[in-house]
Amino acid sequence: MAKAKSGVATPSDLAALGIGGEALDVLNTRNTRGLRAKGRSEGHAKATESHVRAILDFCGWSRPEQMQAGGLERFLDDMVARERSAATQNRYIAAINAFARHLVKRELLMRNPFVIVERRREDLAPVRPRRALSTQEAEAIVRQAIQSPEIKLPRKQRVNGELRTWTDR
């Protein structure tokens, strides 16, 4: 048990203790249901599930005892190679950390193996070069905005002698 608590236990050590064993995809789905039950938005629950699934698939992990920081680091290195931003990488780190905390709370992991993975420095990350819109692109966007039925045009009304403008939403 001391090896497991220190985090140096092997998967066979954990199996001998009766820890782990459930499939991570099932646990990820349960975690997502738990997020919804706690009142998290549907978008947050889906994004967390998707981020965790991407990491699990990339690393080939199917059981909790297989999860290791080295695999996450390889996943993040791959994201850098695909020119993903530091902010995007941090969202994946946050998702897998939350999932690992969930597994620790359910006693399916002895400890969170990802606490040693540092967040990426967004302030130091290179920003992808952006370009200005061409005149034709800007005109097309404005035309579409004007024609869109969802656009609410400002209304004007006098309030205490002042002319106020607002948009109904």
Side-chain angles (χ1 to χ4, degrees):
M1 188 63 147
K3 281 174 69 175
K5 284 189 176 179
S6 69
V8 295
T10 65
S12 58
D13 294 334
L14 294 173
L17 292 170
I19 298 170
E22 288 190 74
L24 285 171
D25 57 342
V26 172
L27 295 170
N28 188 23
T29 302
R30 282 189 200 150
N31 182 50
T32 304
R33 273 189 262 144
L35 291 174
R36 290 181 182 116
K38 291 178 187 175
R40 301 299 191 273
S41 73
E42 185 63 24
H44 172 75
K46 282 182 178 178
T48 300
E49 182 177 29
S50 172
H51 292 355
V52 170
R53 187 180 321 108
I55 294 168
L56 299 179
D57 290 346
F58 180 88
C59 296
W61 299 328
S62 58
R63 304 269 180 232
E65 62 271 12
Q66 295 173 322
M67 297 169 65
Q68 295 179 359
L72 178 58
E73 290 287 359
R74 284 187 297 281
F75 176 80
L76 296 170
D77 289 344
D78 182 66
M79 290 186 84
V80 169
R82 291 183 289 135
E83 298 182 358
R84 300 296 187 251
S85 71
T88 299
Q89 292 176 56
N90 286 339
R91 284 191 287 275
Y92 280 83
I93 292 169
I96 197 69
N97 265 307
F99 180 60
R101 284 192 306 273
H102 168 76
L103 296 178
V104 169
K105 187 176 182 179
R106 292 192 60 215
E107 297 183 356
L108 296 170
L109 272 180
M110 293 302 296
R111 64 170 186 79
N112 180 351
F114 308 116
V115 293
I116 62 172
V117 177
E118 294 184 13
R119 290 177 49 87
R120 303 313 192 228
R121 295 273 313 263
E122 294 178 33
D123 58 331
L124 299 178
V127 177
R128 278 194 232 148
R130 305 275 193 240
R131 66 173 181 83
L133 294 175
S134 70
T135 304
Q136 294 83 9
E137 291 169 324
E139 288 172 351
I141 291 170
V142 170
R143 263 194 313 278
Q144 184 62 39
I146 290 170
Q147 295 170 359
S148 173
E150 276 113 53
I151 296 294
K152 302 281 187 181
L153 297 176
R155 292 183 13 184
K156 296 180 180 178
Q157 179 181 7
R158 291 210 177 269
V159 177
N160 296 332
E162 291 182 37
L163 191 60
R164 300 256 172 114
T165 303
W166 75 93
T167 302
D168 290 332
R169 300 229 181 220

